Amino acid sequence: MDRIRIVSLFFFIVLFLTASIKASSLNLMPMPVKIKPQDGRFIISRELGIEIQGPYSPRVLLAKRRFLHRLAGRTGIFFKLNPESTSIKIVYKKNIKLSPIMDESYTLLINQSGIILKANTDIGILRGIETLLQLLSSDGKHYYFPAVEITDYPRFPWRGLLIDVVRHFMPIEVLKRNIDAMAAVKMNVLHLHLSDDQGFRIECKIYPRLHLFASDGDYYTHEQIKDLIRYADLRGIRIVPEFDIPGHTTSWLVAYPSLAAIPRPYKMERTYGVKNSVMDPTNKLVYKFLERFFKEMAKLFPDPYIHIGGDEVNGVQWKSSKKIAKFMKKHHLKDFHQLQAYFNLKVLKILEKNHKKMIGWDEILHPDMPKDIVIQSWRGKKFLYNAAKRGYYTILSNGYYIDLAQPTDFHYLNDPIPEGVELSPEERKRILGGEATMWSEIVSPETIDSRIWPRTAAIAERLWSPGTVKDVSDMYRRLKIITQQMEELGITHIKNQDMMLRRLARYRDITPLKIFIQTVAPVQNYERHKSRTYTVFSPLTRVVDAAVPDPPLPREFESMVADYLSTGDRAIENRIINYLILWKDNHNSLKELIEISPVLKEIEPLSENLSIISALALERISIKERGQTPDPRWIERAKRTLEKAKKPVAELELLVAEPIEKLILSITQ
Ligand code: ACM
């Protein structure tokens, strides 16, 4: 290699490194496909003007208005009403109907003199505007957008969030604020779980007993649904309705017992879990009913898909019916799976008549079903791959069950198509994406946002960004910023915690509760249900409900401990000591609150454990400072105390117990 080539290679390497360092410091989520940082920046002034080049689009006009509003809100700039310049150009070719095959790509070019956002479709513009807003930066003097070239498009076309509005009804404003949050991270499907054993949540004009007798008065009217669909459409989000049949149908049977496999009076379910109530697939009148029902719903919901549920039919009632046994024999239906497929095929005909496609849970997969249905895999990836291999479209929800209070990185690394999975290119294409599922057994309108966000933003990135974007610590770094930015959309995931703590503290100073709650998280998976029987009437206002899954402080403390153990750095040691003193002393102040608020009594042992293990860790550090090592009996006692502190109390886990344990047991001289 001659010198010039070596020098220019060196030059390119430096350029590449600078570019990638700069790209990785941008706080974008989901991460775009290609980012080329440039020199310079576009300074935001009150002269900022936006020119739109493209067909009339209510979506783009609203997005422009909201962009300026959010930008003004963050910067305090009073933008001129009629600026001379048009420093932002929005260019697109056409408006489109929402569907799973829409073009959402865009390019964004920012330099000193202006910004150009280009897309083929108005939906691409919406996605690009969210990226632009995330790029807002500031120094001591100015707000600005860094100069950058971005090319971006989604990896998967179906990026959804399911909200169960049955177990706990969610008023329209809850859905709207979550739609705005979804749009901010480029999600595009809101799946509404509208009927189940505990309620029927939508007005039905043809069969009004459904909403009148089986909702406790909590249901959406047609007018509300139309307004919601318009609201979501303006933000580029489809609404897919789910009517779970033939199981999970107690509410239908409360209203119309004749639909049941065992016709008798039914009562609303108030508890959770899989119930026996099921429709009668052998009854012609059931299909007549469903025909008129779906005709009404197909008209109301414009999306090409209707979700028919189909999950968890336990067969108990089918088994106890002689009529059903006789029918199965006559029609050569060997088992209940075949009987359900028979039912699904009839429902499919009804949907097809109404120009709708079917989506349902894993259990609807059956060789008799046509290949244009979508299978939503909730039981495991093997069901996802099985569906794709057998020629079906499919989306992943297993691993995205956000009701289970699992940590963000668990969901983030749950890739629908991980590296090395054996699928042909055609099979890969049939995996359309995924949906986070917000089942609402133990969430209320007050807590739902904190169960959805910010973890769902990481799922949104998994479904939008290239599979190679999977650096967990960088995800957490960006998430910390994005989650706070999202508050401007009205979601209550952060601010409701203080409100709940004020109520728990009987309106006294909540500082001790705040210090405590940052160290704990609700127990994961189905552990809360194991600890007591929850019903639809149970209070969701306790400390466990105010606590959030995967809170940031224990993670940060853990990394502080790891850094300290590997470097022995004094500054880190001091920070650790400050936390330990805070936690040790917090118990006394918290006890004062507990004494005036009986609902807090249940956390007393946990707060005491936190205090005790913090004191132990401080003792361990001071032993080290004295140049000594602890007595083996001291270590044994510490281990027993730590084991106790790791056990859940009041459905809460003390997340800082593990890093404290690591600190105590790993300090060496
Ligand atoms: C489900 O979780 N039963 C779909």
Side-chain angles (χ1 to χ4, degrees):
M1 227 188 277
D2 57 44
R3 265 182 66 156
I4 291 182
R5 279 165 73 185
I6 290 174
V7 167
S8 57
L9 184 68
F10 175 76
F11 179 76
F12 277 114
I13 289 173
V14 169
L15 200 71
F16 175 77
L17 283 178
T18 329
S20 52
I21 287 163
K22 274 172 136 188
S24 69
S25 69
L26 296 175
N27 301 314
L28 297 170
M29 186 170 282
M31 212 58 179
V33 175
K34 271 190 224 148
I35 310 175
K36 263 209 282 187
Q38 310 285 342
D39 282 333
R41 58 198 189 168
F42 174 82
I43 292 175
I44 300 163
S45 76
R46 56 187 304 262
E47 291 294 336
L48 185 100
I50 301 178
E51 180 190 330
I52 296 175
Q53 295 176 8
Y56 168 79
S57 161
R59 288 181 188 134
V60 172
L61 290 177
L62 177 73
K64 171 186 164 183
R65 193 65 251 143
R66 294 183 71 242
F67 168 78
L68 283 170
H69 187 71
R70 286 163 73 188
L71 202 58
R74 286 189 209 169
T75 61
I77 297 173
F78 287 65
F79 291 116
K80 262 197 178 165
L81 289 181
N82 296 300
E84 310 273 305
S85 72
T86 53
S87 36
I88 301 184
K89 281 198 174 56
I90 289 177
V91 186
Y92 62 101
K93 294 190 191 123
K94 59 179 181 193
N95 299 324
I96 52 168
K97 245 182 141 152
L98 300 182
S99 86
I101 48 165
M102 60 192 172
D103 181 345
E104 299 172 271
S105 66
Y106 67 93
T107 59
L108 182 62
L109 207 80
I110 304 175
N111 62 31
Q112 243 152 288
S113 54
I115 295 172
I116 302 175
L117 171 59
K118 262 193 197 167
N120 291 323
T121 69
D122 54 346
I123 301 298
I125 296 297
L126 303 192
R127 306 300 180 237
I129 283 180
E130 296 296 344
T131 303
L132 183 56
L133 276 165
Q134 289 183 351
L135 284 169
L136 176 67
S137 308
S138 66
D139 58 18
K141 259 174 117 173
H142 298 290
Y143 289 97
Y144 64 90
F145 293 115
V148 71
E149 270 181 54
I150 288 177
T151 305
D152 202 12
Y153 47 86
R155 180 174 169 212
F156 294 105
W158 193 306
R159 305 178 306 280
L161 167 65
L162 173 151
I163 297 185
D164 169 7
V165 297
V166 175
R167 275 59 175 255
H168 281 88
F169 182 66
M170 298 296 155
I172 288 286
E173 64 266 23
V174 174
L175 301 181
K176 283 188 172 174
R177 69 189 188 222
N178 277 287
I179 285 171
D180 280 315
M182 289 170 69
V185 289
K186 302 181 175 52
M187 296 182 88
N188 64 7
V189 179
L190 174 63
H191 167 167
L192 290 179
H193 184 77
L194 285 165
S195 68
D196 211 304
D197 298 309
Q198 296 80 2
F200 196 94
R201 300 286 179 223
I202 185 167
E203 176 188 22
C204 179
K205 292 193 194 275
I206 185 101
Y207 295 116
R209 289 178 62 89
L210 287 170
H211 65 276
L212 294 177
F213 286 80
S215 74
D216 294 314
D218 274 336
Y219 62 88
Y220 308 116
T221 64
H222 278 213
E223 287 317 305
Q224 283 177 311
I225 288 289
K226 281 180 199 162
D227 174 57
L228 187 74
I229 290 167
R230 179 178 160 275
Y231 191 92
D233 183 283
L234 284 168
R235 288 151 181 81
I237 293 174
R238 300 162 45 208
I239 293 195
V240 173
E242 177 184 351
F243 302 99
D244 202 346
I245 50 174
H248 285 278
T249 43
T250 308
S251 61
W252 301 68
L253 310 183
V254 169
Y256 297 94
S258 60
L259 300 173
I262 309 290
R264 59 164 168 83
Y266 282 82
K267 280 208 183 101
M268 296 279 279
E269 286 290 356
R270 306 304 193 183
T271 61
Y272 304 127
V274 179
K275 309 294 181 189
N276 298 339
S277 316
V278 67
M279 289 179 174
D280 180 358
T282 72
N283 182 349
K284 284 200 175 86
L285 294 179
V286 166
Y287 301 109
K288 278 236 158 68
F289 185 98
L290 291 176
E291 177 130 23
R292 296 171 81 187
F293 173 80
F294 278 118
K295 188 175 172 193
E296 179 176 325
M297 294 304 156
K299 234 177 168 168
L300 183 59
F301 290 94
D303 199 76
Y305 285 88
I306 287 186
H307 201 300
I308 64 141
D311 56 323
E312 299 181 306
V313 177
N314 68 9
V316 169
Q317 289 199 346
W318 284 351
K319 208 168 170 174
S320 68
S321 161
K322 285 204 182 96
K323 180 180 163 230
I324 289 176
K326 217 166 124 190
F327 181 91
M328 286 175 72
K329 205 164 168 194
K330 185 173 160 206
H331 289 81
H332 311 290
L333 301 168
K334 286 193 196 68
D335 53 28
F336 292 143
H337 189 222
Q338 286 205 359
L339 181 62
Q340 194 176 343
Y342 171 90
F343 173 84
N344 289 342
L345 275 170
K346 295 264 194 193
V347 176
L348 181 76
K349 291 269 167 349
I350 295 171
L351 296 190
E352 281 173 348
K353 225 165 147 182
N354 290 289
H355 313 288
K356 297 291 181 188
K357 292 183 185 162
M358 180 183 282
I359 168 168
W361 299 105
D362 278 331
E363 291 94 326
I364 73 162
L365 194 142
H366 187 278
D368 292 346
M369 298 303 279
K371 297 296 189 304
D372 65 344
I373 64 168
V374 176
I375 305 294
Q376 182 163 13
S377 278
W378 69 282
R379 294 181 299 182
K381 286 241 185 82
K382 72 173 186 202
F383 294 95
L384 182 85
Y385 301 143
N386 178 43
K389 280 179 195 287
R390 288 166 69 174
Y392 291 94
Y393 292 110
T394 179
I395 60 173
L396 181 65
S397 277
N398 180 267
Y400 299 137
Y401 266 45
I402 51 177
D403 58 319
L404 302 185
Q406 289 162 302
T408 317
D409 54 349
F410 167 78
H411 299 302
Y412 186 61
L413 296 176
N414 180 43
D415 195 318
I417 312 179
E419 258 174 82
V421 69
E422 283 189 19
L423 291 171
S424 71
E426 289 74 32
E427 289 159 359
R428 282 163 192 262
K429 268 196 214 125
R430 288 187 205 119
I431 297 176
L432 300 178
E435 281 186 4
T437 52
M438 183 71 270
W439 299 108
S440 67
E441 283 90 346
I442 42 178
V443 302
S444 67
E446 199 168 271
T447 62
I448 188 168
D449 297 6
S450 74
R451 273 54 190 154
I452 299 176
W453 309 104
R455 291 176 302 148
T456 297
I459 298 174
E461 173 157 294
R462 177 56 45 239
L463 298 173
W464 175 284
S465 305
T468 48
V469 178
K470 55 182 179 189
D471 178 334
V472 166
S473 71
D474 191 56
M475 175 275 287
Y476 276 123
R477 180 189 68 74
R478 289 176 287 126
L479 193 67
K480 197 169 172 172
I481 296 155
I482 295 295
T483 185
Q484 294 180 71
Q485 258 177 25
M486 288 173 82
E487 282 203 283
E488 75 188 11
L489 302 165
I491 48 173
T492 63
H493 61 312
I494 299 172
K495 68 182 178 190
N496 270 14
Q497 187 178 64
D498 274 15
M499 181 267 290
M500 296 177 78
L501 296 187
R502 281 193 292 275
R503 183 172 52 211
L504 286 164
R506 304 245 347 263
Y507 315 109
R508 306 295 210 281
D509 176 13
I510 60 169
T511 309
L513 258 180
K514 274 191 85 132
I515 291 169
F516 170 79
I517 209 158
Q518 284 168 9
T519 66
V520 296
V523 287
Q524 296 178 31
N525 301 314
Y526 294 102
E527 292 303 313
R528 286 191 68 181
H529 291 283
K530 285 185 197 158
S531 75
R532 62 168 71 224
T533 302
Y534 276 95
T535 77
V536 298
F537 302 124
S538 304
L540 297 174
T541 50
R542 291 156 57 222
V543 178
V544 62
D545 302 296
V548 297
D550 201 3
L553 184 60
R555 244 186 299 110
E556 286 164 15
F557 185 72
E558 188 176 357
S559 98
M560 230 182 276
V561 167
D563 286 351
Y564 171 61
L565 290 174
S566 66
T567 65
D569 187 297
R570 280 282 167 178
I572 305 175
E573 184 183 272
N574 281 335
R575 288 179 64 202
I576 289 174
I577 288 174
N578 286 341
Y579 273 117
L580 293 171
I581 293 173
L582 182 75
W583 295 333
K584 175 173 82 69
D585 294 344
N586 191 54
H587 184 54
N588 276 340
S589 333
L590 189 50
K591 257 197 340 209
E592 286 175 23
L593 280 182
I594 292 171
E595 269 157 32
I596 53 130
S597 190
V599 65
L600 291 176
K601 189 76 186 162
E602 61 177 355
I603 61 163
E604 188 170 344
L606 207 53
S607 164
E608 191 175 10
N609 289 345
L610 174 63
S611 177
I612 291 171
I613 62 173
S614 299
L616 271 180
L618 285 167
E619 206 181 323
R620 181 64 191 90
I621 291 172
S622 99
I623 293 172
K624 182 198 86 120
E625 295 296 306
R626 293 198 299 272
Q628 298 169 345
T629 46
D631 191 299
R633 277 171 309 178
W634 186 94
I635 294 282
E636 281 317 304
R637 259 202 329 270
K639 278 185 179 167
R640 281 199 298 276
T641 310
L642 287 160
E643 279 316 306
K644 192 171 150 229
K646 285 194 285 181
K647 291 213 169 75
V649 174
E651 299 162 50
L652 287 163
E653 258 183 297
L654 190 53
L655 292 187
V656 293
E658 267 197 29
I660 289 179
E661 177 181 51
K662 200 178 277 169
L663 182 71
I664 292 175
L665 301 182
S666 312
I667 290 182
T668 51
Q669 284 310 304

